C-alpha cells in the first residue's frame, strides 16, 4: 500500500486528535479537517483510504452540508460517528451513502476494526 | 404518482392494534392496505408483481422483520421496505438500511412521518419496477446514441422529415439522413414508422404515471 490515509472531520479537537493518533499508530496517514467543505476541497481519494465524519459538526455553519455529504460519499468510503442511540442520524447517514455508523463514546479497538473494514470494502468495490 | 389505486401497502406486524392503525392511516389517504400477522403468512401470500411497499415490524414471533427483509432480498424482490420498531438501536437501524430499507422508524412515530415514508417508498417502487425486456433493451440502445443522433431522434418523433431536420440542426440533408440511418440501425428497427411505434407506449406510460 503506497498511501492509506484516514480523513477525519470533527469540530471537536479531542476527537480529531484521538482518532488521528489511533490511526497513525495503526499505520495509516491521518488528515484532519474542521468541516466537510474544507475536506471536500482538498480530497484526492487514494486506493486505500476512508473518511471518518463526526456527525456532531454544526449544521448551521454548513448550509450545503447534505450536498457535500452525498458528494463525499460517492468519492470515498465514509464512516459516520453519531451520538449514542441517535437512530435518525444513523438512518440518514446510510441513506446518503455512508458505509457504516459508529456510536459515541468511541472504543478504540472497535473503531479501528470498522475503519479497516470500510477501507477494504472500498478495495472490493 | 404515489396515489395509484393499484399500489398496496403490505403491513406485517403481530400486534393487531398497530396493524389496524397503519391500515387506517393508509386508507385515510386513499391507499389500499393488506395486513399480515406474521412474516411466513406474508411470504406465502405475497406476489412480487404487485406494486406497493412493505411496512414491517422488527420484533415478531416465528420470523423477525429483519430476517424477512433479507429473505425478500434473497428472493430478488425489489418492493421497498419500511422497518418500524419499538425496540430499535443504531446497529439494527444500520443493518436494516444497508439491507436496502427505505426507512427505519421508531415507535411511537407521528402518523405524518410514516405516511411521508410510505409515499416515498411507493414513488420509489413506481420508479424502479422493472420494465419489460423489450423496453429494457430499448433503454440500452437509446443510451448508445450519440448526442446528435438523440437530437435527430427527437425531431423524428415530432414528425419532421430529413430535410426539415437538416435545416433545424444546420447540417446537410445527406448528413441528417446518415444520422437517421445510423440511429435506426442502433435501435434495431427498419423504418421511422416502426421506430415511432416502438417509442409510443413509453410516452403514454410516462404520461399516466
Amino acid at each position: 500500500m503506497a498511501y492509506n490515509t484516514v480523513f477525519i472531520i470533527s469540530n471537536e479537537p479531542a476527537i480529531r486528535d484521538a482518532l488521528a493518533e489511533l490511526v497513525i499508530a495503526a499505520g495509516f496517514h491521518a488528515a484532519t479537517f474542521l468541516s466537510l467543505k474544507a475536506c471536500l476541497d482538498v480530497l484526492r481519494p487514494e486506493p486505500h483510504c476512508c473518511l471518518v465524519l463526526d456527525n456532531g459538526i454544526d449544521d448551521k455553519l454548513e448550509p450545503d452540508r447534505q450536498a457535500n455529504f452525498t458528494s463525499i460519499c460517492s468519492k470515498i468510503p465514509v464512516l459516520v460517528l453519531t451520538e449514542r442511540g441517535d437512530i435518525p442520524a444513523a438512518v440518514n447517514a446510510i441513506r446518503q451513502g455512508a458505509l457504516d455508523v459508529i456510536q459515541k463514546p468511541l472504543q478504540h479497538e472497535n473503531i479501528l476494526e470498522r475503519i479497516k473494514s470500510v477501507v477494504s470494502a472500498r478495495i472490493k468495490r | 404518482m404515489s396515489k395509484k389505486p393499484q399500489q398496496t401497502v403490505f403491513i406485517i406486524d403481530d400486534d393487531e392494534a398497530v396493524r389496524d392503525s397503519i391500515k387506517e392511516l393508509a386508507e385515510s389517504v386513499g391507499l389500499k392496505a393488506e395486513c399480515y400477522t406474521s412474516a411466513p403468512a406474508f411470504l406465502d401470500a405475497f406476489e412480487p408483481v404487485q406494486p406497493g411497499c412493505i411496512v414491517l415490524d422488527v420484533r415478531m414471533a416465528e420470523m423477525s422483520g429483519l430476517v424477512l427483509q433479507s429473505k425478500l432480498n434473497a428472493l430478488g424482490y425489489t418492493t421497498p421496505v419500511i422497518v418500524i420498531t419499538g425496540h430499535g438501536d443504531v446497529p439494527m437501524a444500520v443493518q436494516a438500511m444497508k439491507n436496502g430499507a427505505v426507512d427505519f422508524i421508531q415507535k411511537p412515530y407521528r402518523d405524518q412521518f410514516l405516511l411521508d415514508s410510505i409515499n416515498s417508498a411507493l414513488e420509489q417502487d413506481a420508479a424502479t419496477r422493472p420494465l419489460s425486456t423489450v423496453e429494457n433493451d430499448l433503454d440500452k440502445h437509446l443510451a448508445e446514441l450519440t448526442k446528435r443522433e438523440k437530437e435527430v431522434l427527437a425531431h423524428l418523433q415530432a414528425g419532421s422529415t430529413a430535410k426539415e431536420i437538416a435545416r433545424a440542426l444546420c447540417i446537410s440533408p445527406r448528413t441528417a439522413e446518415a444520422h437517421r440511418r445510423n440511429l435506426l440501425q442502433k435501435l434495431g428497427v427498419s423504418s421511422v414508422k416502426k421506430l415511432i411505434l416502438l417509442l409510443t407506449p413509453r410516452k403514454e406510460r410516462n404520461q399516466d404515471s
Side-chain angles (χ1 to χ4, degrees), chain B residues 100-150:
Chain B
V102 179
D103 212 343
F104 184 95
I105 297 174
Q106 271 187 295
K107 292 182 212 170
Y109 49 81
R110 278 181 302 138
D111 280 354
Q112 192 53 48
F113 193 79
L114 177 60
L115 214 46
D116 288 345
S117 192
I118 287 175
N119 277 329
S120 79
L122 291 177
E123 257 166 45
Q124 182 184 316
D125 184 61
T128 57
R129 217 141 255 286
L131 305 165
S132 70
T133 38
V134 175
E135 286 193 316
N136 267 337
D137 283 348
L138 186 60
D139 275 335
K140 209 164 43 183
H141 294 318
L142 282 172
E144 284 165 5
L145 297 183
T146 63
K147 196 174 156 228
R148 196 52 131 185
E149 283 163 355
K150 281 178 190 161

Side-chain angles (χ1 to χ4, degrees), chain A residues 73-106:
Chain A
C73 285
S74 66
K75 295 188 168 78
I76 179 171
V78 173
L79 207 162
V80 171
L81 310 179
T82 66
E83 296 305 324
R84 181 147 219 95
D86 190 347
I87 291 181
V91 166
N92 193 45
I94 302 284
R95 193 185 280 148
Q96 301 297 326
L99 286 189
D100 206 352
V101 175
I102 297 183
Q103 305 183 79
K104 292 192 252 187
L106 303 176

